[in-house]
Amino acid sequence: NEWLVNLDMVQSKVQFINIRDGSIERSFGRKGMGPGEMVNPSGFTISDDGKIFIHDNGMRKILCFNIDGEFLYSFSFPSDLGAGDNLKVRDGRLYVSLLELKYANPSEIWKSRTVGVFDLKGNLLNLFGVYDEIIKTFTYGAASTWFDFDRFGNLYSIDGGTYRIYKYDKNYKLIKVFGVQGKFRLPKEDIPWNLPPQEIVKRLMRSSGTRSLIVSGDYVYHQFSDLTEKAVRERNPLYSKNYLKLYDLDGNYIPSDIEVSPTP
């Protein structure tokens, strides 16, 4: 309605920002380990009935608040799963990006499923999703996963360091893989994280990386970025070049690659 909702990960606060003038109208949340407090919040989502679900990476918990900021309950994340920062509530279920911890090493990470389905009290209902095949060859990029739903209930996901988009139906069956076209620079070499920092940065600058995936209306929006020398020199990712790539819901590429944040 009238608000942009923001999670301030430094102050552990949820802020309601007036979209007309940018003012913070109200906020809630505080640091701590007590009921309703947060150590290291890293992602959140809002359900259709106004409940706010926050992933606290510090305590490995999901916390639930109402729209007024009243703490309702929390539940612990399963000990054999590592939660990502992408959460969505749909049809009474909570979807969370994740990594199966038994595969938490560069040579096996591609074996892990990528999305967990929970009821709203924290009971695990399903695991599904695959990592991009490039993960089998490269330890390239992050293992984080972005996902979103279309209005028909299909889920689209993409890995942090790659470019293919995976489309799943309501029963979590993979029905299509698409992506790649346009200005996205494909990785051509591995980036082992035990290299010297300067060499890692040098290789990262040779390819693009995913920043987000959003599905809205009839389109899938893939935001990606290219690291620049200024971003490295200033140690500020805001100086990277960011682009928006569009597809329709069937995965057909729409010529785009719109630069959304020109480098200052």
Side-chain angles (χ1 to χ4, degrees):
N1 295 328
E2 299 295 326
W3 295 316
L4 169 68
V5 185
N6 175 64
L7 175 62
D8 185 327
M9 295 184 289
V10 176
Q11 300 186 72
S12 295
K13 288 184 179 294
V14 175
Q15 301 167 330
F16 291 80
I17 301 170
N18 188 306
I19 60 174
R20 289 171 296 184
D21 61 15
S23 62
I24 298 176
E25 293 198 350
R26 61 187 178 90
S27 65
F28 71 85
R30 62 180 181 270
K31 279 194 174 293
M33 300 185 69
E37 297 177 332
M38 296 171 273
V39 174
N40 183 23
S42 58
F44 81 108
T45 189
I46 304 177
S47 64
D48 289 339
D49 62 354
K51 290 187 175 64
I52 301 174
F53 293 84
I54 301 174
H55 171 231
D56 188 333
N57 192 46
M59 293 196 294
R60 289 181 49 80
K61 286 185 175 181
I62 303 290
L63 294 83
C64 180
F65 300 83
N66 65 21
I67 201 70
D68 296 318
E70 178 187 0
F71 174 64
L72 301 179
Y73 63 88
S74 66
F75 58 85
S76 298
F77 211 71
S79 59
D80 59 340
L81 301 175
D85 300 333
N86 198 187
L87 294 77
K88 293 282 189 301
V89 173
R90 185 177 180 89
D91 297 331
R93 295 182 175 185
L94 176 66
Y95 294 77
V96 184
S97 61
L98 55 77
L99 170 67
E100 295 179 82
L101 294 181
K102 63 183 178 181
Y103 300 124
N105 63 78
S107 63
E108 293 189 303
I109 196 170
W110 61 272
K111 298 179 182 179
S112 175
R113 287 163 290 187
T114 61
V115 179
V117 187
F118 299 81
D119 66 22
L120 299 186
K121 293 298 182 180
N123 298 303
L124 180 63
L125 304 176
N126 210 323
L127 290 174
F128 72 99
V130 295
Y131 278 104
D132 196 293
E133 291 183 357
I134 199 170
I135 303 293
K136 296 180 183 180
T137 307
F138 294 165
T139 56
Y140 172 83
S144 55
T145 299
W146 284 265
F147 64 86
D148 204 355
F149 293 90
D150 65 20
R151 63 183 182 276
F152 305 108
N154 301 306
L155 182 146
Y156 303 73
S157 73
I158 191 169
D159 299 336
T162 54
Y163 48 87
R164 292 186 185 95
I165 297 171
Y166 292 76
K167 180 179 180 179
Y168 302 88
D169 66 15
K170 292 182 179 179
N171 298 314
Y172 318 129
K173 179 182 177 181
L174 179 63
I175 56 178
K176 182 167 288 188
V177 182
F178 59 92
V180 181
Q181 299 97 324
K183 292 183 179 180
F184 194 101
R185 296 183 298 169
L186 304 180
K188 297 180 180 179
E189 58 186 334
D190 197 8
I191 308 178
W193 296 115
N194 58 355
L195 293 174
Q198 299 88 341
E199 181 61 24
I200 291 177
V201 170
K202 182 179 178 181
R203 297 192 188 190
L204 282 172
M205 292 181 66
R206 296 172 183 166
S207 59
S208 304
T210 292
R211 289 295 170 264
S212 68
L213 180 77
I214 296 174
V215 182
S216 180
D218 294 325
Y219 301 101
V220 179
Y221 299 84
H222 173 200
Q223 183 185 352
F224 65 96
S225 68
D226 293 335
L227 196 60
T228 65
E229 291 184 2
K230 186 170 184 179
V232 174
R233 185 173 63 252
E234 302 289 338
R235 297 185 178 182
N236 187 343
L238 295 178
Y239 290 114
S240 298
K241 289 188 175 181
N242 292 276
Y243 301 91
L244 200 60
K245 184 187 298 290
L246 275 69
Y247 303 89
D248 66 21
L249 299 184
D250 290 323
N252 298 305
Y253 175 64
I254 299 170
S256 46
D257 297 279
I258 304 161
E259 189 165 353
V260 293
S261 56
T263 304

